[in-house]
Each structure stands twice: as C-alpha cells, then as structure tokens.
Amino acid sequence: MEIGRWVSFLLFGLLVLRVGSEELEQTSGPSGFQEFHGLPEHTVQVGSAGDVLEDDPVGRLKVFVYELPRKYNKKILQKDPRCLTHMFAAEIFMHRFLLSSPVRTLNPEEADWFYTPVYTTCDLTPNGLPLPFKSPRMMRSAIQLISSNWPYWNRTEGADHFFVVPHDFGACFHYQEEKAIERGILHMLKRATLVQTFGQRNHVCLKDGSITIPPYAPPQKMQAHLIPPEVPRSIFVYFRGLFYDVGNDPEGGYYARGARASVWENFKDNPLFDISTEHPTTYYEDMQRAIFCLCPLGWAPWSPRLVEGVIFGCIPVIIADDIVLPFADAIPWEDIGVFVSEEDVPKLDTILTSIPPEVILRKQRLLANPSMKQAMLFPQPAQSGDAFHQILNGLARKLPHDRSVYLKSGKKVLNWTAGPVGDLKPW
C-alpha cells in the first residue's frame, strides 16, 4: 500500500479519534478513570454484552470459603509480596474479595459454591516469574485437607467447588505448552469449575464450564498514568514486548508460534508501526496515544495487553488463533477488537489500514462504555460490575447444580493417584 494512503488515513483517523476523545471525556466515572468502556467467528469465542455486564450477583448465589492453614495462602504472600502486583494476582484478590463479599455464607449447608483459597502462582523466581512445579502438590494437599475435614467435597468430588488457577496454562501447571499438554489438568480438579486466564478452544488445558477471566493489571498504577483525553492518537499501531524468546526458544519458531517474530520481520521498518522490545516509562501514555494496540500470543494466548488496550481505549488487535477471551459470554469482543489470524500477520498493515474510520469510531465508542472497562479490572475495594462480580455472575449462571453431580455415599469418580509421580509427593 502506498505511503500516501497511509498518511491520509492516519490524518483522518486522528480527526476521528479527537472527536472520540471528547466523547470519552464525557463518560468519566466515579473511579477517577475515563471509563473506556477481522476474523470469521469460528476462530474466536466471543459474546455480546447487552445488560449482562451490569448484572448483580448478590442474592443469586452463596459461597462458602474454606479456612485453610496460612501456609496455603497468606504465609506464601508474606514471603514474597511481589505476588500482589504480577499478572497472576487475581487468585489473591479474589480471596480477599470473597472474605467480605455479601455472597459469602458462614453456613456451608446453605452454600451453592465452595471456594478453596490456594495461591499456586506465588512461588516466584528472582525475576518475578511464577514457578508452577510445586503447584500440583500444593493443590492436591489442599484438596486432601478439605475432603478430610469437611463433608462437602466428597458429596460431589468437587463439582460444586471452584478454584482460581491463573497460571499460563491454568491447572495444567506448566509455562511451556508442550509440557502443559503432556501434564493435562490436575486430575483432582476434573469435576471442579476452574476460573482461569488461559483460554483456547479445543485445548486440553481448558475444560468445559471453565470461566475465563482477564489477567490482573494494577488499577491504581494505570490511573496514575492517565493523560488528558483531548490528546490525539498520533500512533497508528503500538506494541512493546518480546518478539523472540532467545533463552527458551533461540530459533524463534516455537515462541508465540512465530507470530511475534513475523510482526517484527515484516513491520520493524514500517512508519505506521511503533514496535520495540524496549518498555519505556511512558508505556501507558503511549497506549493512550495509539489507535491500535497489538495483543499477540506469547507462551500462552493471553496477556495483560488485552486489559490495557480496553482500559486506555486502544483497539486491541488480537493475534491468537482460537483464543477464548475473558467473560466471552458478556463482552462483545468482535465489536471492540480486531482479530487477525496468526498466518495473516504479514498482511497486518493492509488489514488495519483497510478498516473504515467510521468502524474505528464505533469501536472507540463501545470501548468508552464504563461497564466494559470495569469488567476487566480487579479494583480495591471492589466496585459494582468489576471482574470479581463478573466471576460471580458466571458462577450464578451455572446454578442450580444438576442433581447428577451429587454422588451416592461412598462412591468415587476421581482417581487420586493419577498424574505424574512427582505430583504425589507430600507438599
């Protein structure tokens, strides 16, 4: 495509988005944020919002929170407070939310759901990355504890229990996909509902009935980097992150299934693409100056860029085949984002510059919906319609439990000795 057309498109886009920014300013909400509220449908699982994002789960379900020894949660966090700020922190904040939530019940006999607070992603390397290798033993130990001390697990072998497992590949507990697939979901969780960031259709690490959630992104930090809404979006396409993971994938074909490498090789010299491995202090400000923000898969399909794009009104360009997006039954991802298949990355410039400005403006208006942004965040304290409430809404929609999930006394379905031998060691 000719540079002249690119420039003309960009100038028109800036005019459109300046108008859009005025609309965004008018939708500022009480939290202090401006509320920011491609592919064929078969390639991505999406939904439509309607009023679903504003549903109130209070009164529709009751949750019993098991009181576990501190070694399963609070003691681990004490050892490494970095767990509060990394993208897997949803497991910690969901626990804190439920302890004071009006859906909590102290009477397990009236509970619809049972929650086991285990912090499986809080064993961090010096670089702040979670080591999942002890997680299966830790989870197994917690389940053995609740099944021994309370009768409720044994009634259903976990079918009315939910667990937050926000690691790269959820309850498969490994950061490399090949090994995660080999491991599979921890067998003791096969009947439970999993609340996880990982979502990919037809994948062994996503079981039917799971609730896919956004990764944690710190609301206060993002709020501190807001820029005036009238600032025009002078960047066409923006991305900061790795293109190659030289340490784990030196040849570059396995990491991100080659999609990130393709972005770099095809567009590193393209004037409309502001892409780099450098992560500047102005990262959040830059996203607010961009029209499109690339959200390619990495080791897993999901990343915090998806949250950041929605928060800052930067149209997410999702490059992750068969991804299952957060709260896909409530958020109209096909209307607010652009989906590009991994094989079509070399055509990314043509795809994006071919989108009519009026379509861009429509996506911007949808992103300006306060409920859209709120649903992607785990704020402290919790707010109506936030990610905590979307999780509860997802659980409420699964009620009532089918009578078939309740087992006859003494009946066992799960094989407690299944899985790798290392998982059976005491934790």
Side-chain angles (χ1 to χ4, degrees), residues 1-23:
M1 184 172 294
E2 296 178 357
I3 273 289
R5 182 180 171 189
W6 281 343
V7 173
S8 298
F9 181 90
L10 185 56
L11 290 174
F12 190 84
L14 290 176
L15 176 61
V16 166
L17 289 160
R18 180 181 289 275
V19 173
S21 72
E22 294 172 0
E23 295 175 357

Side-chain angles (χ1 to χ4, degrees), residues 124-408:
L124 304 183
T125 67
N127 292 331
L129 300 175
L131 290 169
F133 309 118
K134 296 178 184 177
S135 301
R137 291 161 50 206
M138 182 182 181
M139 186 68 80
R140 180 184 175 83
S141 172
I143 294 173
Q144 287 175 325
L145 178 68
I146 63 173
S147 66
S148 300
N149 292 359
W150 290 273
Y152 308 105
W153 173 273
N154 298 319
R155 295 188 313 186
T156 65
E157 288 204 311
D160 54 357
H161 288 55
F162 71 94
F163 295 81
V164 181
V165 282
H167 202 266
D168 293 71
F169 290 95
C172 287
F173 294 122
H174 207 287
Y175 62 90
Q176 292 182 335
E177 184 174 20
E178 190 175 290
K179 294 181 179 178
I181 292 173
E182 183 181 331
R183 286 189 52 84
I185 292 173
L186 185 68
H187 196 78
M188 296 173 73
L189 296 175
K190 294 281 185 162
R191 288 172 60 85
T193 290
L194 303 181
V195 178
Q196 59 186 66
T197 46
F198 173 75
Q200 183 173 315
R201 293 176 62 199
N202 305 315
H203 198 287
V204 299
C205 298
L206 180 69
K207 66 189 290 288
D208 288 343
S210 297
I211 297 174
T212 310
I213 64 172
Y216 177 78
Q220 295 83 358
K221 182 179 178 182
M222 289 189 287
Q223 183 175 353
H225 288 267
L226 288 174
I227 64 176
E230 65 271 12
V231 174
R233 294 184 181 266
S234 55
I235 301 170
F236 187 57
V237 179
Y238 187 75
F239 176 78
R240 290 294 184 272
L242 291 177
F243 298 98
Y244 300 90
D245 188 340
V246 178
N248 295 297
D249 179 33
E251 296 182 4
Y254 185 66
Y255 176 63
R257 297 196 282 259
R260 291 197 186 199
S262 181
V263 169
W264 178 250
E265 296 303 332
N266 284 283
F267 304 111
K268 59 186 175 184
D269 298 320
N270 188 307
L272 289 183
F273 282 68
D274 188 345
I275 59 177
S276 172
T277 57
E278 297 179 1
H279 204 287
T281 56
T282 57
Y283 174 68
Y284 284 152
E285 289 84 351
D286 293 343
M287 292 190 84
Q288 294 169 78
R289 296 187 182 98
I291 298 173
F292 296 106
C293 288
L294 300 185
C295 301
L297 74 163
W299 283 112
W302 60 271
S303 84
R305 292 177 189 83
L306 200 62
V307 178
E308 295 160 350
V310 172
I311 296 302
F312 293 129
C314 185
I315 297 170
V317 180
I318 300 159
I319 307 170
D321 294 354
D322 291 323
I323 187 172
V324 178
L325 290 158
F327 308 129
D329 57 346
I331 294 178
W333 288 104
E334 72 277 16
D335 294 329
I336 65 174
V338 175
F339 297 93
V340 177
S341 69
E342 294 164 26
E343 69 176 5
D344 283 341
V345 167
K347 307 173 188 174
L348 197 53
D349 53 350
T350 303
I351 292 170
L352 296 181
T353 56
S354 298
I355 300 174
E358 60 270 20
V359 174
I360 292 178
L361 181 56
R362 181 168 59 86
K363 292 180 183 294
Q364 290 283 334
R365 285 172 174 160
L366 288 170
L367 284 169
N369 183 338
S371 62
M372 207 74 69
K373 188 223 44 150
Q374 194 78 334
M376 299 295 284
L377 294 174
F378 295 91
Q380 305 295 309
Q383 299 175 15
S384 177
D386 62 18
F388 299 117
H389 290 83
Q390 301 309 323
I391 293 171
L392 293 183
N393 282 333
L395 293 169
R397 286 193 283 270
K398 294 178 179 293
L399 297 175
H401 296 295
D402 191 280
R403 296 305 302 173
S404 64
V405 306
Y406 297 96
L407 304 176
K408 293 181 179 179

Side-chain angles (χ1 to χ4, degrees), residues 73 76-77 80-86 88-99 115 117-122 164 166 380 388:
N73 40 62
I76 298 173
L77 177 58
D80 200 332
R82 291 179 299 170
C83 299
L84 285 169
T85 56
H86 68 21
F88 310 101
E91 63 183 358
I92 299 171
F93 291 114
M94 189 67 190
H95 181 201
R96 292 182 175 183
F97 164 73
L98 285 171
L99 290 177
Y115 168 67
V118 186
Y119 299 171
T120 58
T121 63
C122 200
V164 181
Q380 305 295 309
F388 299 117

